[in-house]
Amino acid sequence: MTAPGPDEPNFDARTFRHVMGQFCTGVTIIGTTSAEGKPVGFACQSFAALSLDPPLVLFCPMKTSRTWKHIETSGTFSVSVLGHAQESVSAAFGRSVDDKYEGLDWSPSPLGNPTINGSLTWMDCTLENVLDGGDHHIAIGRVHSLGTVSEEKPLLFYRGAYLSTEHPRLHPAASLESFLTWDAGAWL
């Protein structure tokens, strides 16, 4: 057996997925409105804050995503950050059905994108840039509006399963200043 070349991994996709599953993420719903005026969306754990000035976020849809085509066409999208009691919402968006919003309580954002009511918060964005990310796109969005923030706990995804956690006490450290989402004012 020959050793893999410098551009070839020495592991398979299943092992890579298992290792990446050790990184805990939040769960979001990325949504937009189709050309027919219907809400469309998908559950997304590959979401992150990118920049404070200008306010940018990113998410990574699969290149085969049906919702991605609608986001690319509309040029706008919303991000609903799910809370620990919204596991069923995430599961609904993980299915391959035409109307994932059916039976859900949602509201249109200022840009007309669907936001999930009861979420921890939401963001309304325009699509700024799209980069290649292998079998995914790296979509960068400029945030235009923000929802109010709930005091509920987040829905998390870890080791291939949903997880919710209670934080009895958070301990701030000066080293957190390099974390984009750390708010020093929250500790004052």
Side-chain angles (χ1 to χ4, degrees):
M1 177 177 226
T2 46
D7 292 335
E8 298 174 31
N10 64 356
F11 51 84
D12 62 16
R14 184 178 182 148
T15 302
F16 184 62
R17 183 178 292 233
H18 174 72
V19 169
M20 295 309 298
Q22 306 314 298
F23 182 66
C24 185
T25 65
V27 181
T28 64
I29 301 298
I30 307 292
T32 195
T33 302
S34 72
E36 297 78 32
K38 297 184 185 281
V40 293
F42 68 98
C44 180
Q45 71 174 105
S46 59
F47 168 80
L50 179 60
S51 168
L52 293 174
D53 187 18
L56 300 175
V57 295
L58 68 82
F59 70 98
C60 302
M62 289 183 64
K63 288 184 175 175
T64 58
S65 166
R66 291 185 297 167
T67 300
W68 170 249
K69 293 174 178 81
H70 295 288
I71 293 170
E72 199 171 31
T73 299
S74 74
T76 67
F77 63 93
S78 61
V79 180
S80 296
V81 180
L82 299 185
H84 72 280
Q86 294 181 302
E87 187 176 319
S88 63
V89 173
S90 175
F93 280 86
R95 296 184 319 228
S96 183
V97 297
D98 287 336
D99 187 359
K100 296 178 184 181
Y101 285 85
E102 183 178 4
L104 292 178
D105 193 18
W106 63 274
S107 299
S109 69
L111 293 175
N113 297 305
T115 61
I116 305 295
N117 294 347
S119 297
L120 295 183
T121 193
W122 56 264
M123 288 147 260
D124 207 13
C125 309
T126 53
L127 192 58
E128 284 279 306
N129 199 359
V130 181
L131 305 170
D132 182 54
D135 58 2
H136 284 64
H137 294 292
I138 303 167
I140 298 171
R142 181 179 296 257
V143 180
H144 291 272
S145 300
L146 299 171
T148 59
V149 176
S150 166
E151 294 300 318
E152 296 297 318
K153 300 295 182 195
L155 179 62
L156 303 174
F157 196 73
Y158 176 64
R159 292 186 174 178
Y162 294 111
L163 173 73
S164 182
T165 183
E166 294 290 327
H167 299 287
R169 180 164 169 83
L170 297 176
H171 302 279
S175 62
L176 294 179
E177 288 184 22
S178 64
F179 282 28
L180 185 64
T181 59
W182 183 66
D183 181 8
W187 297 102
L188 300 176

